[in-house]
Amino acid sequence: MSDLCVEVLDHHETFQTPLADAISAAYQLVLDPTNRDAVGQMRVAWRFVCDDALPHMAQEEVTVFPRAISSGVPADTLDVLSMEHRALRALAEELRDRGMDRDVPPDDEGALLLLRFMQSFDAHVQREEAIFALYAGTDAVRTRRQRQRYAHARNVSGT
């Protein structure tokens, strides 16, 4: 199980910079959804949803969750994580329905929904790490700031 925990942590590292950028963009949209860079900010956040968050959740359900069950994580616990995935997917679909996949700045409600997605996804990632660390019997959980520093160090070193 500790190998799986490390694998999950390491995979989460790969999207910390795009997640931080997406959260920042979503905050900017909430503060001023009509600012001159609103379309660019929306693209940054929406690209994270489509290119990182949704594929990550799908990959976990196919490869990580089955291994977690065989490693002793209760199915009920993974059902909760799967339920969160479904809620995030529904929110992403709502964002798409509101035009996030087009070059139209979001209205106030759309900007708030985008920020809600980012915050919910970030909290979900931390919950996953805590669950996998618990069942791996390790304290390998990293705060978002630690994950960002680690990801930044990896990007600087080129590894």
Side-chain angles (χ1 to χ4, degrees):
M1 180 66 190
S2 65
D3 290 344
L4 181 59
C5 182
V6 170
E7 184 179 318
V8 168
L9 287 169
D10 286 348
H11 188 256
H12 286 177
E13 303 295 343
T14 65
F15 56 74
Q16 288 309 301
T17 299
L19 175 58
D21 292 345
I23 289 171
S24 177
Y27 269 116
Q28 290 301 314
L29 285 169
V30 167
L31 293 173
D32 184 5
T34 61
N35 76 70
R36 62 184 170 92
D37 195 31
V39 170
Q41 292 162 340
M42 184 188 63
R43 283 183 194 144
V44 166
W46 184 246
R47 186 174 32 244
F48 176 80
V49 172
C50 293
D51 294 351
D52 294 294
L54 295 175
H56 166 73
M57 292 185 296
Q59 179 268 337
E60 281 184 334
E61 291 167 356
V62 171
T63 62
V64 174
F65 290 1
R67 288 175 53 207
I69 287 175
S70 66
S71 296
V73 177
D76 290 350
T77 300
L78 294 171
D79 288 345
V80 170
L81 295 177
S82 293
M83 183 177 63
E84 289 178 359
H85 284 188
R86 286 189 299 280
L88 285 162
R89 281 191 192 97
L91 188 51
E93 193 59 39
E94 185 174 351
L95 289 165
R96 180 176 282 113
D97 291 346
R98 295 177 78 57
M100 291 292 161
D101 57 343
R102 298 180 299 249
D103 285 344
V104 178
D107 60 7
D108 290 345
E109 188 176 339
L112 285 168
L113 285 172
L114 189 58
L115 180 59
R116 184 171 132 209
F117 180 94
M118 297 305 156
Q119 291 173 328
S120 298
F121 183 81
D122 189 35
H124 170 74
V125 165
Q126 291 196 38
R127 212 169 0 270
E128 281 180 349
E129 291 180 5
I131 288 168
F132 288 120
L134 173 69
Y135 287 98
T138 180
D139 62 356
V141 177
R142 301 173 191 156
T143 66
R144 178 166 31 118
R145 183 71 186 132
Q146 288 170 318
R147 290 193 313 265
Q148 288 171 336
R149 280 196 304 259
Y150 179 80
H152 175 72
R154 288 180 65 183
N155 289 340
V156 170
S157 71
T159 59

